[in-house]
Amino acid sequence: MKLIVGLGNPGQEYEITRHNTGRIVLFSLLNKEFYFDKKVNALCAEMKIGKNNVKLVAPETFMNNSGKTMAHLVKAKKDLKDLVVIYDDIDLPLGKIKISFNRSAGGHNGLGSVIKALKSEEFLRIRVGISPATPKGVVKKPKGEKAVLNFLLGEFKKQELEIIKKLSKTIAKAVETIFTEGKDKAMSLYNK
């Protein structure tokens, strides 16, 4: 079974924060109720993409402990090829995505937790930009640890949230390409 994981924090107070972008996208992929899976401590749902059975997973741990859920879902190294993790990226402008494979966490604690739990970086991730940018596309991110944390845990403005939800349709197509035509094809189409 293929896995799509959306990283974020559980709880209503985090629902529309920038750090919850992975969960926002995940819940936008499917218009049906997610159920709580106690064994993996996550909200889950199933869908089909092409001929593939796909499980959507939103860990109910806090972001920095996302790996605890992943350890229950990915049992063998061969299963890593069926995993796509979606998360916020402060280094990308709002409205942009980048598909990456076999890269470091780049300072993202949630992704770091996943890498540590899986003992591997060899899985696909879809990085979703959350930062404001100049008209030329230069990212304007906050400076200093406290400013960055406040930014990440700050809520999206209404028009920003609309951009993310609209972007979810592109991400859905990217995931479909990954699962039906492979990661290289998806990267060539969506990493512009």
Side-chain angles (χ1 to χ4, degrees):
M1 181 177 278
K2 311 282 186 193
L3 282 176
I4 306 172
V5 179
L7 298 186
N9 288 310
Q12 204 169 358
E13 69 268 38
Y14 299 106
E15 211 167 290
I16 57 170
T17 61
R18 293 179 186 91
H19 216 23
N20 253 33
T21 301
R23 284 172 74 101
I24 293 167
V25 169
L26 190 78
F27 295 143
S28 297
L29 294 178
L30 201 60
N31 285 340
K32 74 176 194 184
E33 284 293 307
F34 279 65
Y35 61 89
F36 179 67
D37 184 329
K38 190 176 174 185
K39 190 174 142 207
V40 298
N41 191 20
L43 295 175
C44 300
E46 278 89 32
M47 66 187 291
K48 274 211 122 29
I49 296 178
K51 293 181 178 134
N52 299 294
N53 291 320
V54 181
K55 185 171 192 155
L56 283 72
V57 180
E60 284 285 279
T61 60
F62 279 89
M63 177 67 90
N64 296 357
N65 293 317
S66 299
K68 289 181 178 179
T69 292
M70 301 309 300
H72 292 288
L73 293 166
V74 180
K75 300 286 191 199
K77 202 154 173 98
K78 66 177 173 50
D79 298 334
L80 291 172
K81 69 179 178 6
D82 295 326
L83 171 64
V84 176
V85 178
I86 304 170
Y87 64 98
D88 60 287
D89 191 330
I90 199 167
D91 294 320
L92 287 176
L94 181 72
K96 296 280 182 218
I97 65 167
K98 185 147 190 173
I99 302 169
S100 304
F101 177 76
N102 200 17
R103 305 271 308 266
S104 75
H108 193 289
N109 293 337
L111 193 65
S113 172
V114 171
I115 290 169
K116 187 176 175 189
L118 301 180
K119 298 178 181 66
S120 177
E121 296 175 347
E122 291 180 43
F123 57 89
L124 276 167
R125 50 298 300 256
I126 299 178
R127 298 158 41 205
V128 183
I130 59 167
S131 290
T134 66
K136 289 186 176 169
V138 178
V139 171
K140 298 188 295 186
K141 66 181 187 182
K143 302 271 187 270
E145 201 173 321
K146 190 171 170 49
V148 167
L149 193 62
N150 287 340
F151 178 75
L152 291 174
L153 296 179
E155 292 189 350
F156 279 117
K157 294 181 184 98
K158 193 174 181 216
Q159 64 269 31
E160 292 173 328
L161 199 54
E162 289 306 313
I163 290 168
I164 294 293
K165 288 188 175 171
K166 196 172 158 191
L167 193 59
S168 297
K169 291 182 175 73
T170 302
I171 293 169
K173 289 178 188 158
V175 169
E176 185 173 351
T177 305
I178 289 166
F179 290 155
T180 58
E181 299 181 63
K183 67 177 168 36
D184 295 335
K185 175 79 171 175
M187 286 176 177
S188 72
L189 287 174
Y190 296 98
N191 286 357
K192 291 182 173 76

